[in-house]
Amino acid sequence: MALNKVRALMKLKPAKESEEGQELEMLITLIEAYEDVHVPMQASDPIAYLEYRMEQDNLKQRDLIPFIGDKTKVSKVMNRKQELSVSMIRRLSEGLNIPINFLIPSGL
């Protein structure tokens, strides 16, 4: 039910400060906590996954600009000098049809 609610909220693209945005962030946190306890997974490396998807889909870093930001920001993220923000994760998930849990680094 929580995952369905997250999907529905993501379609609305709520502002982070809005009630829906805060609900989305809370549900993501709760889902992560549940999965940490009940669904053992190996550590998540969103950048490694993005690199894999870029290779599979024949994408270049410039193709990530709509989801991450300008060329400089994309470069910083891909070189692990800047972490993905919640809004970047949301845009990448929606735009590239990537399961959100593949984009959330372990330890969050």
Side-chain angles (χ1 to χ4, degrees):
M1 286 187 335
L3 289 173
N4 288 335
K5 183 66 174 181
V6 165
R7 287 185 193 102
L9 287 169
M10 287 181 69
K11 287 180 184 178
L12 297 175
K13 300 179 183 179
K16 186 176 182 178
E17 308 80 32
S18 70
E19 186 175 320
E20 291 86 3
Q22 291 177 355
E23 181 180 8
L24 177 60
E25 300 239 0
M26 179 202 61
L27 284 170
I28 290 171
T29 301
L30 290 173
I31 290 168
E32 287 176 345
Y34 176 86
E35 288 179 345
D36 285 347
V37 172
H38 299 284
V39 184
M41 298 172 59
Q42 61 186 101
S44 174
D45 183 350
I47 303 308
Y49 183 77
L50 277 176
E51 289 169 344
Y52 166 77
R53 279 297 297 268
M54 289 170 69
E55 183 179 320
Q56 295 299 306
D57 296 344
N58 201 25
L59 299 173
K60 305 289 182 216
Q61 282 193 10
R62 69 177 174 265
D63 298 318
L64 300 180
I65 290 173
F67 313 112
I68 293 176
D70 62 30
K71 181 172 74 169
T72 302
K73 194 173 282 191
V74 171
S75 179
K76 285 180 180 178
V77 167
M78 296 307 292
N79 288 305
R80 302 171 191 272
K81 295 181 192 269
Q82 180 178 338
E83 292 186 10
L84 289 168
S85 68
V86 172
S87 59
M88 289 176 196
I89 291 170
R90 187 179 303 144
R91 289 190 299 261
L92 284 164
S93 177
E94 292 172 356
L96 298 178
N97 198 29
I98 297 172
I100 202 160
N101 61 313
F102 286 23
L103 297 170
I104 299 172
S106 62
L108 288 183

